[in-house]
Amino acid sequence: MQTLIQLGATALQIGAVYILFSLGLTLIFGVMRIVNFVHGHIFAVAALTVAYFLPSLVEGGLSAPIAYILASLAGIVAALGLGALIYLFGFRYFQRDLVGSFILSIGLVLLLDGVLLHVFGGAVRGVPEIFPGRVSIAGAQITVQRLFLCAVALVMAATLYWTLSHTKLGKALRAVSYDHEAAMMVGVPYSRIAFLGFMIASLLAAVAGVLLAPVTIVSPVIGTDYLIKGFIAVIIGGLGSVPGAILGSLFVASIETFGSYYLDSSYATLAIFGMVIIVLLFWPKGVLGRG
């Protein structure tokens, strides 16, 4: 029983990052009807910026938490700047064009792979633990750093859900996701809403990047694995569905965690892809469909 509780806690920690990642993907698809493969690079820029600046700030005399806050702000600004450039000079011209946006995404992935390698180098970087220590919850041992990650992810997901449900911006985002032409006919400025939706998604990826940097090894290709897992999560949950993205993320994290412990990491990966095939066969729009 103790092992099951510990594995459940680990799955929640991993799922917290997947949730932030997949919420951004599903928001972009819901509003713009495009598949954004560059989402992983926005995530990577935030994590790399933290890994690049934080050690220098600590050596300069700042405490680790203050240095982490400053490095995280720099990472989020850099990631949002990249997101704005990608939208204004790329995806803005391919909205609701699945084929065109797919080709553009592939081109941008190749371009940004080279840029990140040139700017940050190919070496992996480690970020020191910012919040040391462990806590025991129901017998499960969780590091304070990962608990902080889960808490921020929960707040971000709840804020996004509340924004979509109760604010004028959220209602506009939901309106264009259902029928953008009807929304425009009643006065919703589609171009502005699409840009804001893209930037909110970029913010989610950036926050995921700065949260993950202290608990893993950071490299220019760090976004690739999370991009794949994020897409799998939204496919299982349902493209365009916020609850589906959360459910799919927790499902992928659970299979990965329990499968790796009881079987092997390779079997866990096979189980995830097997689950995708089953979902596509029986629920082509995902378990929760489009919400």
Side-chain angles (χ1 to χ4, degrees):
M1 188 62 185
Q2 186 64 39
T3 302
L4 289 177
I5 294 175
Q6 183 65 56
L7 290 174
T10 303
L12 287 176
Q13 297 166 42
I14 298 172
V17 178
Y18 292 165
I19 286 172
L20 289 180
F21 213 90
S22 60
L23 282 177
L25 290 172
T26 205
L27 184 62
I28 292 174
F29 181 83
V31 174
M32 299 175 63
R33 288 292 185 275
I34 63 172
V35 179
N36 180 20
F37 291 114
V38 196
H39 202 63
H41 291 75
I42 296 172
F43 165 86
V45 165
L48 285 166
T49 303
V50 172
Y52 189 84
F53 283 111
L54 192 143
S56 301
L57 293 173
V58 172
E59 289 176 5
L62 293 177
S63 64
I66 297 297
Y68 178 63
I69 292 172
L70 294 176
S72 296
L73 290 175
I76 291 172
V77 169
L80 289 179
L82 176 62
L85 286 174
I86 290 171
Y87 177 86
L88 294 174
F89 297 101
F91 288 120
R92 182 173 66 147
Y93 303 102
F94 294 94
Q95 295 182 41
R96 314 189 87 79
D97 180 354
L98 201 57
V99 175
S101 64
F102 177 83
I103 296 172
L104 176 64
S105 273
I106 297 299
L108 287 173
V109 165
L110 296 175
L111 173 64
L112 290 175
D113 277 346
V115 171
L116 293 184
L117 280 171
H118 178 74
V119 173
F120 294 100
V124 297
R125 297 173 184 273
V127 177
E129 196 174 46
I130 308 302
F131 306 111
R134 291 175 176 271
V135 295
S136 178
I137 300 177
Q141 296 294 318
I142 304 175
T143 65
V144 176
Q145 186 70 55
R146 290 184 178 274
L147 195 62
F148 172 74
L149 185 158
C150 292
V152 175
L154 178 63
V155 170
M156 292 288 293
T159 302
L160 177 66
Y161 193 81
W162 182 85
T163 300
L164 292 176
S165 303
H166 296 89
T167 67
K168 188 176 179 180
L169 171 62
K171 292 174 182 175
L173 287 167
R174 290 167 56 200
V176 298
S177 71
Y178 282 112
D179 190 332
H180 77 291
E181 291 181 346
M184 291 172 68
M185 290 177 65
V186 297
V188 175
Y190 174 70
S191 297
R192 189 191 308 169
I193 295 301
F195 175 68
L196 290 175
F198 194 90
M199 294 308 295
I200 292 173
S202 298
L203 175 63
L204 291 170
V207 172
V210 300
L211 287 174
L212 195 68
V215 298
T216 188
I217 298 297
V218 180
S219 75
V221 297
I222 187 176
T224 303
D225 187 48
Y226 286 91
L227 179 72
I228 295 172
K229 299 290 176 56
F231 270 121
I232 290 174
V234 296
I235 289 171
I236 291 176
L239 275 168
S241 169
V242 170
I246 296 173
L247 178 66
S249 298
L250 294 176
F251 202 69
V252 170
S254 297
I255 292 177
E256 192 176 354
T257 303
F258 285 87
S260 298
Y261 182 81
Y262 287 107
L263 300 172
D264 183 79
S265 58
S266 58
Y267 287 111
T269 303
L270 288 174
I272 291 172
F273 283 103
M275 185 56 62
V276 172
I277 294 172
I278 293 173
V279 168
L280 290 177
L281 285 174
F282 293 98
W283 300 280
K285 292 184 178 181
V287 175
L288 296 184
R290 180 172 167 275

